[in-house]
Amino acid sequence: MKALQHALLLLLSTHATLTVTADLMIGDQVCMTGFIMDTFCIERGTLLDAPSVTTMKNPELHSYHCLLDVGVCINSGYQVLGSKDPMNGLHCPGLRIDDTDKVLAAGRAHGTTMDDPNQAFFACSTCSGPDDNPIAGYKATIIGTVSELGDGMGRVTGAPGADSVAGGPPLTDIQV
């Protein structure tokens, strides 16, 4: 029940990153559903494969190719994004995920190698999901254990060159 309460706080928070971080404790198990985003594209402010798209505004437009095929995105790490803030239209930063391999495996199993009929996205060359599965907008439920509290400063503005996301609490022992 405690893990559910923490997950709810994370999903409902929009301006209370410090409060939520203060409510979390090392060792707490949390569950959060949201878009998976790589740190490189978050810190860049726009999507690498769609530079006109603001990262935190439209994570549903982030291709599986960019997330799961591109080395700089993979090597930067991932986080699960929180809900969209109704005040500014941007998704809130969520929790950092320490296990890139599990994120990659689940995403690649779900994404498709099919080409985008609208030619807006590159095909994911490492994906193996069915042809009718998505090519963009990797959303997942992440369960994990809080390994440290971070500094609570993991907020980003969504603008290019935005603040670092390194301050958010990381999760370990994750399940996707």
Side-chain angles (χ1 to χ4, degrees):
M1 187 65 174
K2 189 174 180 182
L4 216 48
Q5 289 172 333
H6 289 301
L8 257 171
L9 282 172
L10 288 169
L11 290 171
L12 296 176
S13 75
T14 57
H15 299 290
T17 300
L18 289 172
T19 303
V20 172
T21 301
D23 290 341
L24 289 176
M25 296 181 62
I26 294 173
D28 282 353
Q29 187 175 43
V30 296
C31 175
M32 186 172 179
T33 299
F35 288 103
I36 304 300
M37 187 62 65
D38 62 273
T39 300
F40 180 80
C41 284
I42 293 172
E43 290 182 344
R44 179 182 153 85
T46 60
L47 301 177
L48 179 63
D49 62 342
S52 65
V53 177
T54 302
T55 302
M56 300 302 271
K57 186 173 185 177
N58 295 107
E60 71 278 5
L61 298 177
H62 200 189
S63 74
Y64 277 64
H65 164 72
C66 187
L67 281 164
L68 307 172
D69 289 342
V70 178
V72 69
C73 296
I74 294 167
N75 295 331
S76 70
Y78 297 102
Q79 73 171 265
V80 58
L81 299 182
S83 58
K84 194 174 258 193
D85 182 339
M87 299 299 288
N88 64 17
L90 302 175
H91 283 265
C92 298
L95 298 169
R96 291 183 289 147
I97 303 167
D98 80 341
D99 194 336
T100 300
D101 291 338
K102 287 184 182 174
V103 173
L104 287 170
R108 287 173 174 163
H110 188 255
T112 181
T113 59
M114 293 298 292
D115 287 325
D116 178 13
N118 300 319
Q119 298 181 347
F121 304 105
F122 290 107
C124 177
S125 64
T126 58
C127 291
S128 60
D131 290 349
D132 59 346
N133 276 12
I135 56 175
Y138 178 16
K139 201 170 197 180
T141 299
I142 305 292
I143 300 169
T145 303
V146 176
S147 62
E148 62 183 78
L149 296 181
D151 63 13
M153 301 306 291
R155 300 286 297 169
V156 296
T157 62
D163 305 319
S164 172
V165 297
L171 296 180
T172 189
D173 301 322
I174 69 156
Q175 301 169 35
V176 182

